[in-house]
Amino acid sequence: MIKKFFKNIGPGPLVAAAFIGPGTVTICTLAGVNFGYALLWAMVLSVFATIVLQEMAARLGIVSQKGLSEIIRSEIKSPVLKTIAIILILSAIVVGNAAYEAGNISGGALGMQTIFGNPIIELGSLKLNILSLIIGIFAFVLLYIGNYKVLEKVLIFMVVIMSLAFLLTAIITKPNIAEILKSVFVPKFPKDSILTIIGLVGTTVVPYNLFLHASLAKTKWKHKSDLGFARKDTIIAVVLGGIVSMSIIISASSINGGEIANASDLAKGLEPLFGSYAKYFLSIGLFAAGITSAITAPLAAAYVASGCLGWDSNLKSSRFRAVWIIILGLGVLFSTIGFKSIEIIKFAQITNGLLLPIIAGFLIWVMNKSIILGDYKNSKLQNIFGIMILIITIFLGVKGILSVFKLI
């Protein structure tokens, strides 16, 4: 029974690994430090929305045996609309992931720095971060092997390490269980919390994960009879991811105020209160969050580019490899030399803000097409949930774009 369960673990943990990156760790840390347990309900909402959309993406991949970007190419008939959609998707996912990759690698390095210090090599006026290079090499080797099963096992192991690290940190802080349960089920909107609430939802419901999940699901499962395994895999992994995010909020809640802007600061802040174990657990968690996102972001970009441009999406194909090598290479370069291109990240935020509601809307539309899904198309209940989430994604998209231009 247990052996069968592990055999049918699929891309769910990879999806969880992708959305729990350094950005999610940071926003959860700030939510806990600034608002205590009050915003835990927002994570429950995020988890529900993610399960609904990711289940649709996985079902589409298994039944059609195509990736989401391939479906977009074949189903949008208007050449103009198709071109606009492809340009927007490539901009948001490929360029966006290149921009965020430096943050993923830097986040992983930050976790290691808390334990090992910050080894730097100086080459003339350039200062190179050794830990960023190590993470980049590890990600490169794993992706270059090009074996889905190896990738899956390593990422599942890293997700388990990350989950245990953050859960143990939360347990060490001796949280108030009654208050946690109340905050999970009773929505509260403390003063100045709205942007943090939107941030918690926005870092969990991620556009590139929809593309990644559809592509990985069709790689893992070939038969419609596997849909039950895919559904369980999605629910378990995303719920686990939500618990990890909540653990970070709970850990951060134990510190009142102070100069805490990210998980590395939180690790240092927890040490005097709860001992060195808290610092080490949190640092390991941040390292695992950074390295898993550093692997899944280039992988997602390669799947998206291959689907949009009609290339072979085999992990070992030269074009597929070229895309993830460029994304990973830029991430390592920018992280190693400490370069932060605010303009590129702003561009990525704008395109992601536009893309999320468009892709969610397209996904719901496709999931109702009998010609593609037959008897496996959306039920009325799935459509109701999907439309509710679509409204949330539109709100998130508008907020994201307005915040980039400092209009809110």
Side-chain angles (χ1 to χ4, degrees), residues 106-137:
S106 298
L110 205 60
M112 293 173 77
Q113 278 172 33
T114 314
I115 300 172
F116 300 111
N118 189 17
I120 298 286
I121 290 180
E122 292 191 20
L123 294 175
S125 59
L126 272 183
K127 290 184 177 181
L128 303 181
N129 187 319
I130 299 299
L131 298 178
S132 293
L133 283 171
I134 291 169
I135 288 172
I137 291 165

Side-chain angles (χ1 to χ4, degrees), residues 164-350:
L164 288 173
F166 287 131
L167 280 167
L168 286 168
T169 308
I171 291 164
I172 284 172
T173 61
K174 295 177 183 173
N176 185 325
I177 304 298
E179 280 297 312
I180 288 171
L181 290 172
K182 188 178 172 185
S183 300
V184 163
F185 296 109
V186 182
K188 292 177 190 170
F189 296 86
K191 189 184 176 189
D192 300 327
S193 66
I194 192 67
L195 290 184
T196 307
I197 291 168
I198 292 165
L200 288 171
V201 180
T203 59
T204 311
V205 187
V206 187
Y208 86 71
N209 259 347
L210 298 172
F211 291 93
L212 182 65
H213 206 170
S215 296
L216 292 177
K218 75 180 177 68
T219 305
K220 171 75 178 180
W221 293 297
K222 303 294 181 185
H223 308 291
K224 291 166 188 173
S225 57
D226 293 325
L227 283 168
F229 294 124
R231 194 168 287 117
K232 282 179 196 168
D233 177 64
T234 302
I235 293 169
I236 292 168
V238 175
V239 168
L240 179 64
I243 291 169
V244 169
S245 298
M246 287 181 187
S247 298
I248 300 165
I249 295 173
I250 291 163
S251 301
S253 300
S254 64
I255 294 181
N256 297 316
E259 291 297 313
I260 293 176
N262 56 49
S264 183
D265 294 340
L266 178 59
K268 289 167 188 167
L270 285 173
E271 187 174 15
L273 291 172
F274 304 107
S276 60
Y277 287 119
K279 180 184 84 166
Y280 291 130
F281 287 145
L282 202 63
S283 299
I284 290 164
L286 181 58
F287 163 70
I291 204 163
T292 51
S293 292
I295 293 164
T296 51
L299 187 65
Y303 273 124
V304 166
S306 300
C308 284
L309 301 171
W311 299 345
D312 181 10
S313 60
N314 185 300
L315 285 166
K316 293 183 178 178
S317 78
S318 55
R319 285 172 170 172
F320 189 91
R321 277 179 171 165
V323 175
W324 67 251
I325 286 171
I326 291 167
I327 304 292
L328 180 60
L330 288 171
V332 171
L333 177 67
F334 292 161
S335 174
T336 304
I337 64 174
F339 173 77
K340 292 177 183 174
S341 178
I342 299 301
E343 293 308 312
I344 295 174
I345 290 170
K346 279 184 177 178
F347 172 75
Q349 285 174 330
I350 292 166

Side-chain angles (χ1 to χ4, degrees), residues 21-49:
T24 304
V25 174
T26 300
I27 193 78
C28 289
T29 298
L30 295 175
V33 169
N34 296 325
F35 305 106
Y37 301 152
L39 303 184
L40 287 172
W41 65 269
M43 278 312 308
V44 176
L45 174 68
S46 306
V47 165
F48 175 73

Side-chain angles (χ1 to χ4, degrees), residues 49-50 53-54 68 88-89 92-93 198 201-211 348-364 389-398 401:
T50 304
L53 291 179
Q54 296 296 159
L68 184 53
L88 181 61
I89 292 165
I93 308 295
I198 292 165
V201 180
T203 59
T204 311
V205 187
V206 187
Y208 86 71
N209 259 347
L210 298 172
F211 291 93
Q349 285 174 330
I350 292 166
T351 50
N352 269 305
L354 286 169
L355 186 66
L356 182 55
I358 290 170
I359 294 303
F362 178 83
L363 184 61
I364 293 163
I389 293 160
L390 177 60
I391 293 165
I392 294 169
T393 63
I394 291 168
F395 176 68
L396 282 173
V398 171
I401 292 162

